[in-house]
Amino acid sequence: MTAITLAITTLELLATLAVAPFLASVIVKTKAWFAGRAGPPWLQPYYDLYKLVRKEPVYSSTTTWIFRAGPVVNLAALLTAATLMPVLSSRSLLGFSGDLILFAYLLALGRMFTVLAAMDTGSSFEGMGASREVTFGAMVEPALFLAFVVLSVATHSLRLDEMLGPQLLGAWQTTGPAMVLLLGALFIVLLTETCRVPVDDPATHLELTMIHEVMVLDHSGPELAYITYGASLKFALLGSLLLHAAIPHPAALHIVDPVLRLAELVALAGAAGTVESVMARLRLNRVPLLLAGSSVLSALAVVLVLGRGLS
């Protein structure tokens, strides 16, 4: 990587980190538009983060260092994952063969510490949310790894920036049906990992249906800001994985790539807001069926792409 490429990639990463909270604002604005309301200001997520980082956190006397480490480790894992995932172009700051495994397990590491922090409170209520989070996370993980298998076989690479680069144009020409199935699976993975409807509802306060939000009820101040910002960053990273697979850009578009990718991310946030506006959250006993469906879609995509390679 040349010095110029390194500088451009670093700027793209910083732009991704800066724009992530805005995607949450797009989702809220879309939901407000469907409800006939004006909604909060576009920059409200930034105001909320600024307000939280200025507050002093409050800790229960029953918690240990694990409670404090949960939000920090989760955010650190997501920031590291952001260096591996190409977002505003087909370049990533860091990349090596097999980095897709590290990316997936960085997300898992963040989830694990969030769950441990919730259980460290000793609250059965937060333990209930942690149990649901672990269950649904384990069920969606096969879909994500099988999706990586499809992308790897289609592009003959194990590097994320190569799997999600212009090489995917050839994959769409030779394995189009497999890619369509892959997109369905990745969209379900996105909604599940980012705790969106129909799997979870970040705006709910109904005790018996809360999943992610119930795990972070005891966090406050800067640590709650880390959690809130981490959720937005996770949406940007997994959304980019979906967008790169759905709309591969030719290499000739590298000059306008960041602008196009940014517009696509905003459109994807609008789509997520539309989904939350037009459908209700699934009953908890129906969610495993949806997650199993994502794994089935990914498995069928693997069969199709491998069958195409053998023919």
Side-chain angles (χ1 to χ4, degrees), residues 125-253:
F125 187 34
E126 297 200 22
M128 176 192 69
S131 173
R132 292 171 177 172
E133 175 84 4
V134 170
T135 302
F136 295 157
M139 294 190 69
V140 81
E141 195 169 273
L144 180 62
F145 274 103
L146 289 172
F148 282 146
V149 171
V150 174
L151 294 171
S152 177
V153 172
T155 58
H156 305 288
S157 176
L158 289 173
R159 286 178 56 127
L160 276 172
D161 55 356
E162 292 179 354
M163 291 165 52
L164 302 174
Q167 299 93 316
L168 271 180
L169 285 171
W172 271 99
Q173 293 171 1
T174 57
T175 59
M179 296 301 294
V180 172
L181 295 174
L182 177 75
L183 297 185
L186 286 179
F187 191 60
I188 296 174
V189 170
L190 171 67
L191 297 179
T192 305
E193 290 282 351
T194 56
C195 308
R196 312 302 311 189
V197 174
V199 178
D200 194 2
D201 186 357
T204 185
H205 291 91
L206 186 59
E207 294 180 355
L208 294 179
T209 60
M210 294 172 73
I211 301 177
H212 178 76
E213 289 304 309
V214 71
M215 293 195 305
V216 300
L217 280 178
D218 283 351
H219 289 288
S220 59
E223 292 168 2
L224 185 56
Y226 300 159
I227 294 171
T228 305
Y229 178 78
S232 299
L233 182 58
K234 197 173 188 180
F235 184 91
L237 298 180
L238 290 173
S240 297
L241 174 62
L242 173 63
L243 289 171
H244 279 81
I247 314 172
H249 289 182
L253 288 179

Side-chain angles (χ1 to χ4, degrees), residues 96-113:
F96 52 88
S97 182
D99 57 359
L100 56 95
I101 304 294
L102 177 60
F103 176 81
Y105 280 103
L106 282 170
L107 300 186
L109 177 66
R111 173 186 286 115
M112 184 186 77
F113 267 85

